[in-house]
Amino acid sequence: MTESIRRSGEYENFENPYQAQSSAPVNPEWPPPPAYQPVPQQPVQQQVQQQVQQPVVEPTAVWQTQAAAGGSGHGNGNDGGTALLTAEPAPAKKKRARGPLALLAAVAIVAAAIGGGTAYGIQELTGKDEVVSSSTTTSVVPSSKTGDVASIAAAVSPSVVEVSATLSNGTSTGSGVIITSGGEIVTNNHVISGANSIKVTTSDGKSYTAKVVGTDSKKDLALIKLENASGLKAATLGDSDGVKVGDTVVAIGSPEGLTGTVTSGIVSALNRDVTVSTDESQSQGQGQQGGGDGSWPFQFGGQEFNGDTGSSTTTYKALQTDASLNPGNSGGALIDASGNIIGINSAMYSAATDSSSSSDAGSVGLGFAIPINTVKADLAGLRAGGSDS
C-alpha cells in the first residue's frame, strides 16, 4: 500500500484558488492553477435566451464583449459590454446593402445599352443575308438635323421608288418603299392589283422588272420583288405606335408620275377608320390613263371620296396627315422627323370629280397612311403569298 508523504511546511503558504470549493490535497504533479478567477459558466438555457435576445455582431465585437466580461461587472458608466452591443456591426451588413445597389446599377446599364443603341428586327427573306431594318430609336438623319426636311429627303429618297403597273386597259402609277437591299418593296394593293406587268424606277433612274410576291386586299398592302437587283438602300421602319398628333412628318412619292416628290406636314389625327375597295377593277381608277380622276376611291366619316368604292370593301385604322398627297403618292412613304418610315400612304382626298376638272384637283390636306406596325405584322403573310392567294 502506497502512502502519500507530506513534509512539514510544504505548500503551507500556497494559495489554492480551489480551496474554498474543495479540501482535497494538492498533488505536486498537477499543473499550476490559472492566474485569474475563472468566469462562472451560465446555465445552457440562459445562454440560449441571451443569444436570441442579443443582436448578431461580428466576430471582433464578440471577442471584445468576452474580454469585458472578465473585468468588473460594475463600471463607472463606460461599460465596455454596453458600448459593444450598441456598436455598428461592420462589413457583412454593408456587403448585403451593396447587393441591391449593384443590381440596380446593372439594370441601369442594360437599359441604357438598349435605349441608346439601334434595334433591328431581323427577318429571314428570300436571301439569307437580307434583313428588314427596323428601329424605334434610330435616327436616320443626324440628331442635329432632326426635323430638317431637306436632310430627311436626302436620306430617305433613295429608298422610295415609282411603281408603274400595266393593266388590261391602261396603267396605274404609284409609289413603293424598299425594305431590303435585294429589292423587296412594299406598296398598296390597289397600285398593282390586276397588273399584267410591273416596272419599278429607283431614285437614281434605274428601271427594274418586278413580280408580285403577295397581296392583302383587306389591308390594301402588297409585296413585290425586283428582278436582278442588289445593293439597294433599304428604308428603316419605325414605330407607328409612338406617333402623336402634331408630330412632324414628310411624305415622299411619285404623284402624277413626278418621281421623288417631297412634301411635309404634321400628323393631324390617329386611328381613323378608312374604307377602301377590295375589287381589282377599282385599281383602274388610280391610273393616269385608266380613266377616272386618277384618285383611289375611299370612304371616311360616312362619306365617299374620289368615286364609288364598290360593293366589296375593307376598313383599316389609318394615320391622318395634312402633308400634301396626290394621285401617285399611294404606296409611298410617310416619314417621321428622324427619318424612320411610320406609314405607307394609301388614300387622299381630291376635290376634282372627274379628269376634266384638273384645275380643282389636288391635295386639300386630307391624307391617310397605313401604320407601319400594321405593315410589319403583315410581312410574313405577304412573303407567303398573302391572304388573297
Side-chain angles (χ1 to χ4, degrees), residues 2-385:
T2 306
E3 182 176 342
S4 176
I5 301 174
R6 178 181 176 212
R7 295 187 182 91
S8 178
E10 193 174 10
Y11 304 117
E12 289 294 333
N13 297 326
F14 181 79
E15 289 186 9
N16 186 355
Y18 303 103
Q19 222 165 8
Q21 300 176 8
S22 174
S23 58
V26 177
N27 191 324
E29 297 180 358
W30 291 354
Y36 56 87
Q37 185 74 19
V39 179
Q41 297 296 320
Q42 296 178 342
V44 174
Q45 183 176 359
Q46 185 176 356
Q47 292 178 10
V48 172
Q49 184 176 4
Q50 287 182 352
Q51 290 175 1
V52 172
Q53 292 176 350
Q54 291 182 357
V56 177
V57 294
E58 299 302 323
T60 303
V62 172
W63 180 86
Q64 292 174 348
T65 304
Q66 290 175 345
S72 172
H74 302 281
N76 56 1
N78 297 325
D79 186 89
T82 304
L84 287 171
L85 290 176
T86 58
E88 237 181 345
K93 288 190 177 180
K94 289 184 179 179
K95 289 180 181 178
R96 288 194 296 271
R98 286 197 299 267
L101 294 178
L103 178 59
L104 290 175
V107 172
I109 292 171
V110 172
I114 295 175
T118 299
Y120 290 95
I122 307 300
Q123 302 185 33
E124 185 174 352
L125 308 178
T126 54
K128 293 183 179 179
D129 59 340
E130 295 180 359
V131 298
V132 177
S133 180
S134 177
S135 173
T136 59
T137 58
T138 299
S139 181
V140 177
V141 298
S143 57
S144 61
K145 297 292 185 179
T146 299
D148 181 70
V149 176
S151 298
I152 295 170
V156 184
S157 288
S159 301
V160 181
V161 300
E162 178 183 308
V163 179
S164 181
T166 301
L167 311 173
S168 59
N169 60 345
T171 60
S172 173
T173 302
S175 306
V177 177
I178 301 172
I179 62 170
T180 67
S181 61
E184 279 198 331
I185 293 172
V186 170
T187 185
N188 286 139
N189 177 62
H190 72 256
V191 172
I192 54 87
S193 180
N196 297 320
S197 63
I198 302 173
K199 176 184 175 183
V200 172
T201 305
T202 57
S203 62
D204 58 3
K206 292 182 179 179
S207 294
Y208 298 87
T209 299
K211 297 294 184 182
V212 176
V213 176
T215 60
D216 186 349
S217 60
K218 292 183 179 179
K219 295 183 177 66
D220 195 15
L221 291 172
L223 183 68
I224 61 177
K225 179 75 163 56
L226 304 186
E227 295 182 343
N228 303 316
S230 62
L232 301 179
K233 184 175 181 180
T236 300
L237 309 186
D239 179 13
S240 53
D241 288 343
V243 174
K244 302 183 294 296
V245 172
D247 282 354
T248 297
V249 290
V250 172
I252 302 179
S254 300
E256 306 294 350
L258 302 174
T259 304
T261 297
V262 178
T263 58
S264 64
I266 63 168
V267 174
S268 53
L270 304 173
N271 299 316
R272 293 299 199 196
D273 289 325
V274 175
T275 301
V276 297
S277 175
T278 59
D279 188 355
E280 285 190 4
S281 64
Q282 292 289 338
S283 65
Q284 296 179 17
Q286 169 73 18
Q288 294 171 288
Q289 304 171 20
D293 62 2
S295 299
W296 176 239
F298 69 97
Q299 297 176 9
F300 167 68
Q303 301 180 45
E304 274 192 353
F305 301 92
N306 307 334
D308 183 11
T309 57
S311 58
S312 178
T313 62
T314 185
T315 301
Y316 58 82
K317 298 289 185 182
L319 302 174
Q320 181 179 309
T321 177
D322 70 351
S324 295
L325 301 179
N326 292 285
N329 272 115
S330 291
L334 188 68
I335 311 156
D336 67 13
S338 296
N340 301 303
I341 310 298
I342 57 170
I344 299 297
N345 298 319
S346 58
M348 67 291 302
Y349 170 68
S350 177
T353 57
D354 57 59
S355 57
S356 63
S357 304
S358 58
S359 60
D360 296 327
S363 172
V364 294
L366 188 62
F368 302 94
I370 302 169
I372 201 63
N373 285 6
T374 300
V375 178
K376 290 191 288 187
D378 205 30
L379 275 179
L382 291 172
R383 291 192 180 103

